[in-house]
Amino acid sequence: MPSSNPRARHFPPPMSSTSLSPEGEEVAEEEQVVTPWEVSAKQGGKIDYGKLIDQFGCQRLDQSLIDRVQRLTNRHPHVFLRRGVFFAHRDFTDILDAYERGDKFYLYTGRGPSSEALHLGHLVPFMFTKYLQDAFKVPLVIQLTDDEKCMWKNLSVEESQRLARENAKDLIACGFDISRTFIFCDFDYVGGAFYKNMVRVAKCVTYNKVVGIFGFTGEDHIGKVSFPPVQAVPSFPSSFPHLFSGRENLRCLIPCAIDQDPYFRMTRDVAPRIGYSKPSLIESTFFPALQGETGKMSASDPNSAIYVTDTAKDIKNKINKYAFSGGQDTTEKQRKFGANLEVDIPIKYLEFFLDDDAELEQIRREYGAGHLLTGEVKRRVIEVLTELVERHRRARAAVTDEMVDAFMAVRPLPNMFS
Ligand code: TRP
C-alpha cells in the first residue's frame, strides 16, 4: 500500500546494510518495510519473515505448538497452521496454558473497511479466526475501523460507514457463530467503557513513542496520531461490558497479519501499567500478489489480486495471464529442468487453499521435476479458487440486513462459551 507519509518508509528503522555497486561504490540497500500502511520487500526479493520476527521481537510458531493446538482442540490443525501461514506469535503459549487449566479466552480481530470488494488475502485472517472460534468454542469481537479508513483513505464519514456494513456481510459469510460473535463499527460503538479505556491508554503513550512506533510526522493530522488507542482497547475485556462484565480477567488472543504488530506492541507495553493483561497474538504472513511474493496485494491494482467478486472467467484470465510462474518458458525446458517452486505463485496459492496435503505434495514433486507443466498447475489453482469464491458468493448473498443488525447488536452472549 503506498504510504501518504514519506517518513513511514523508515519505520521500523531500517537495519543498516550496504553492498557494492558495479562501480565499486558502497550503496545502501533498500530494506524491507512492514508497517500497518506499507509492506514492501527488499528490492527484487521476498519478504524475509524470519528477519521480521527478530526485528519485531515476536516468537516463531513452531511444530510443538501446532501439536499442542491439535491435542487441546482434538482437531486436525487448520491448513494455515500446517503450512506456516500463521508463523509467529506473542505469548500464545499463555493462552494455551490457561485453556489447559480450564480458563477460556476471547478472540479479537478486525478490518479496515477501505473498499467494497475483499480480495483473497483479506479472507485469510477471518477464515483462520472462524477455525479458532469453532475449535476452542470461544467468543469473538470483530472491530470495523471505519474511523481509521475515513482518516487514512480520505473517505467521507458516511462512505466509511457504508463500506463497514458492506464488509460486515463478507465477514458474516465466513460462517461466524452469531451466539459467540459481536461485530462493531467504531463510529457506532466507541463511547462508554470503551472510551474510558482509550483515554487510559492514550495517557500512557507519549507523542515521541507513537512517532517511534508508527512514523507519524508533523504534517500528519492529529486524527492519525490519536487513532492507535482505538485499535488497542478491544484487547481489554472491560471495553465490552455487555459481554464480559464480571470477567475482567479474561485473556485475549488476536489473530492478524503481521503488519498489525505495531499496534499491539504499543498495547502490550501499556497494558500492565493500567492494570490489564497483555493480549496474545498469532500472526500470519501476507497473501502474495499474483505478480510475486514481494509484498501484500495492493487494493489499487485490480490485476494484482483475486477478489471475492471476481467471476469464474476473471479468475481464469487473471491466473493464466498474471500469476507469476516458476516454470520454464518452453515445454522442452520444463520437462528437462522442472519449475522453481520457491517463486511460483500457483504453488503458493495452492499452499494456502488446497487442503489436501497428499495432493499438494504430489503436485509439488511432479511440477518441481518437470512432469507437470505450468498450465496444468494453473488449471488446478483456477479450480480451487473458483470453488472458494463461488462458495463465498453464495454465502454472502444469503446475508441479510437483519443478520448484519443482529451481529452488530450490543447484547450479552449467554452461550458464548458453550
Ligand atoms: N487496522 C486494521 C486494518 O486496516 C483493522 C483492525 C482493527 C485489525 N483491529 C484489528 C486487524 C485487530 C487485526 C486485528 O485492516
Side-chain angles (χ1 to χ4, degrees), residues 40-55:
S40 64
K42 208 163 132 170
Q43 199 102 63
K46 299 206 271 186
I47 301 282
D48 180 343
Y49 288 106
K51 195 164 171 179
L52 219 46
I53 286 185
D54 297 338
Q55 214 173 322

Side-chain angles (χ1 to χ4, degrees), residues 36 108-112 143 145 148-149 227 231 254-257 260 263-264:
Y108 156 42
T109 191
R111 163 163 173 84
Q143 176 177 47
T145 51
E148 178 190 16
K149 294 302 153 176
F227 175 74
Q231 183 155 335
I254 307 172
C256 61
Q260 300 299 306
Y263 283 114
F264 302 117

Side-chain angles (χ1 to χ4, degrees), residues 77-222:
H78 193 273
V79 59
F80 295 160
L81 280 176
R82 305 199 307 272
R83 308 265 167 84
V85 170
F86 280 78
F87 74 107
H89 72 99
R90 290 180 184 273
D91 292 341
F92 183 45
T93 39
D94 289 359
I95 294 280
L96 298 180
D97 291 345
Y99 191 80
E100 203 153 27
R101 290 194 303 266
D103 294 338
K104 295 279 188 158
F105 61 93
Y106 74 101
L107 294 160
Y108 156 42
T109 191
R111 163 163 173 84
S114 58
S115 65
E116 193 108 22
L118 278 70
H119 57 56
L120 295 181
H122 291 137
L123 291 184
V124 166
F126 293 101
M127 292 169 79
F128 189 64
T129 301
K130 146 97 178 133
Y131 150 80
L132 292 173
Q133 177 178 61
D134 290 349
F136 288 99
K137 306 237 178 309
V138 286
L140 160 67
V141 297
I142 303 179
Q143 176 177 47
L144 293 168
T145 51
D146 43 10
D147 50 348
E148 178 190 16
K149 294 302 153 176
C150 173
M151 292 191 283
W152 262 270
K153 300 283 163 178
N154 208 13
L155 300 169
S156 69
V157 169
E158 292 72 21
E159 178 63 0
S160 316
Q161 288 186 292
R162 188 186 70 79
L163 289 174
R165 254 189 97 85
E166 283 305 305
N167 284 185
K169 292 182 185 163
D170 286 286
L171 306 188
I172 293 169
C174 292
F176 294 110
D177 176 351
I178 193 162
S179 69
R180 309 173 203 282
T181 307
F182 173 54
I183 304 179
F184 65 98
C185 297
D186 291 337
F187 279 133
D188 293 329
Y189 185 69
V190 172
F194 191 101
Y195 183 62
K196 288 181 191 169
N197 278 338
M198 279 173 51
V199 171
R200 289 184 180 110
V201 169
K203 279 171 76 176
C204 291
V205 184
T206 63
Y207 178 69
N208 286 339
K209 183 93 186 176
V210 280
V211 167
I213 299 175
F214 298 101
F216 298 129
T217 70
E219 280 68 50
D220 280 311
H221 59 66
I222 62 172

Side-chain angles (χ1 to χ4, degrees), residues 10 67 77 202 212 229 295 300 326 338 355 374 396 398:
H10 303 296
D67 294 342
S300 52
D355 195 44
T374 297
R396 192 187 191 279

